[in-house]
Amino acid sequence: MSVTAARGFRAAGIAAGIKSSGDPDLALVVNDGPSRAAAGVFTANRVKAAPVLWSQQVLRAGKVSAVVLNSGGANACTGSPGFLDTHTTAERVADALGHNAAEVAVASTGLIGVRLPMDRLLPGVDRAVAELSPHAGEKAAIAIKTTDTVHKTAVASREGWTVGGMAKGAGMLAPALATMLCVITTDAEVAPEVLDRALRAATRVTLERIDSDGCLSTNDTVLLLASGASGVAPEEKELTAAVTEVCADLARQLIADAEGASKDIRIEIRNAADEDDAVEVGRAIARSNLLKCAVHGEDPNWGRVLSAIGTTSAAFEPDRVDVAINGVWVCRGGAAGEDREGVDMRFREVHILVDLAAGGAGATVWTNDLTADYVHENSAYSS
């Protein structure tokens, strides 16, 4: 059910003809209320796509009645005409629904630098409105896929209220956020400012800690919408926990579907001086192409872990660092530890545990291996 698992939401997913393949490429999520509270987080890239700029303006009021999303074109680096296209899309949705365009968020994904085919997108909006249903969450999730091999949805149920979500993303996974379009819904009664805090707390430890290839997109968008249809007003801590559960589920699905990946790598940092150090070290390891190639070849090359740690500004002493790969402490005190021949790397998940012996903080970052399939996928993407 994904985004329509929560009461008060309808969705649609159709093929508008934006993709040359004819696959579904336009999704619509509508909040029927009674509340239309919303929050959002967006890419940190200074080059922001037109729909990001538009949706950031919409979210300032903390209210969203509908989200229209397209795959097959990013509408990024398209200048003022591209921004006008986004505005026109929001107005078309608003007119069809009887809503205000200032409450319609827009999200796009696909190739950068190309205008969207508005002659197909706008009639597609009308068709999507006609097909809105509280049972079409899965169709919406399918319509936002680009190089994704599977659609991604998640639900967290609580007593009397629900959080549901959908996401797309398979390449350019790097914070902040990870490259994605993501819509999360809840039927809880929540004020916009509480939604904002809950979303930021959730994404900080989930979606912002997956790092597939170190590349930051122009289009990252994560939206959290609340309908209030359940009549239940949970405590902020409860809401944050449920949103975090959904975000964590979606984040793992994104890494599992990363372009060309054959291994999911969980990098766990322990005993760092503080959380920022732990994240920095985890990120440095995740972005080591040498390590990612080694993992692809099932080679427990712990030296590549240490060399990545050494590029950071984190507090640590090199001769106190321990590293375990899949439970085998291959590095002790910055030198060779247990026999690396004991490391079994045949399975999909690889766990790298680093003990910095510098404090009591920790963090986990997820990444994946680097494969020939990833190179092929991205060398052929524009075609």
Side-chain angles (χ1 to χ4, degrees):
M1 292 278 283
S2 70
V3 290
T4 52
R7 285 164 285 185
F9 292 93
R10 292 177 292 155
I14 67 158
I18 301 169
K19 292 178 180 174
S20 59
S21 65
D23 290 338
D25 50 23
L26 186 68
L28 184 61
V29 178
V30 175
N31 182 353
D32 290 321
S35 172
R36 292 193 170 93
V41 287
F42 301 89
T43 182
N45 198 318
R46 292 173 61 195
V47 178
K48 290 177 171 59
V52 169
L53 297 173
W54 170 268
S55 296
Q56 284 180 316
Q57 292 180 4
V58 169
L59 263 297
R60 287 173 186 161
K63 195 173 182 180
V64 169
S65 62
V67 185
V68 58
L69 312 94
N70 76 271
S71 54
N75 194 11
C77 304
T78 50
S80 55
F83 188 83
L84 180 60
D85 288 343
T86 294
H87 189 173
T88 301
T89 301
E91 287 185 328
R92 186 66 163 252
V93 171
D95 289 345
L97 293 171
H99 292 184
N100 185 337
E103 295 178 8
V104 177
V106 181
S108 301
T109 181
L111 193 63
I112 292 173
V114 179
R115 294 274 301 279
L116 292 172
M118 299 299 288
D119 59 333
R120 281 167 269 171
L121 190 154
L122 295 179
V125 166
D126 298 335
R127 286 177 48 214
V129 170
E131 295 188 21
L132 283 168
S133 166
H135 307 292
E138 186 174 22
K139 289 184 177 180
I142 292 170
I144 60 175
K145 290 166 53 182
T146 50
T147 57
D148 306 63
T149 64
V150 295
H151 60 285
K152 303 163 181 73
T153 64
V155 175
S157 298
R158 297 294 188 267
E159 188 173 350
W161 58 283
T162 299
V163 176
M166 68 177 185
K168 64 78 51 184
M172 291 184 73
L173 292 178
L177 298 160
T179 296
M180 66 183 65
L181 301 186
C182 179
V183 178
I184 304 167
T185 59
T186 181
D187 50 20
E189 286 186 0
V190 191
E193 60 272 18
V194 177
L195 279 180
D196 184 72
R197 289 195 297 268
L199 181 61
R200 292 181 186 279
T203 56
R204 184 181 67 83
V205 296
T206 58
L207 298 173
E208 292 192 7
R209 291 192 184 169
I210 57 175
D211 198 328
S212 175
D213 53 15
C215 297
L216 176 60
S217 169
T218 55
N219 288 64
D220 302 335
T221 300
V222 180
L223 302 174
L224 174 58
L225 316 180
S227 69
S230 71
V232 178
E235 295 292 329
E236 183 172 339
K237 184 178 180 180
E238 292 180 274
L239 176 71
T240 301
V243 174
T244 301
E245 181 180 330
V246 168
C247 286
D249 191 340
L250 292 172
R252 284 289 288 111
Q253 292 182 57
L254 291 168
I255 279 292
D257 194 32
E259 291 170 349
S262 66
K263 304 284 188 185
D264 303 335
I265 309 171
R266 175 163 55 105
I267 303 166
E268 182 182 356
I269 311 301
R270 292 182 184 172
N271 296 320
D274 55 38
E275 187 179 7
D276 287 344
D277 273 10
V279 172
E280 182 184 0
V281 169
R283 189 97 61 217
I285 297 168
R287 292 184 174 181
S288 169
N289 285 337
L290 284 175
L291 175 67
K292 290 154 76 74
C293 289
V295 171
H296 178 60
E298 299 182 353
D299 174 13
N301 193 331
W302 57 269
R304 293 179 176 177
V305 176
L306 282 196
S307 64
I309 296 171
T311 67
T312 71
S313 61
F316 72 94
E317 294 297 330
D319 59 1
R320 297 187 65 196
V321 176
D322 296 339
V323 177
I325 300 178
N326 283 355
V328 179
W329 289 97
V330 289
C331 171
R332 288 287 193 183
E338 298 173 26
D339 188 351
R340 52 181 281 166
E341 296 300 319
V343 181
D344 186 353
M345 300 178 69
R346 292 173 296 169
F347 301 102
R348 175 83 187 199
E349 184 175 324
V350 174
H351 180 206
I352 297 175
L353 173 59
V354 176
D355 189 330
L356 292 177
T364 298
V365 175
W366 283 87
T367 189
N368 51 269
D369 58 342
L370 181 59
T371 70
D373 286 342
Y374 174 85
V375 176
H376 173 74
E377 179 77 45
N378 285 281
S379 64
Y381 180 66
S382 64
S383 60

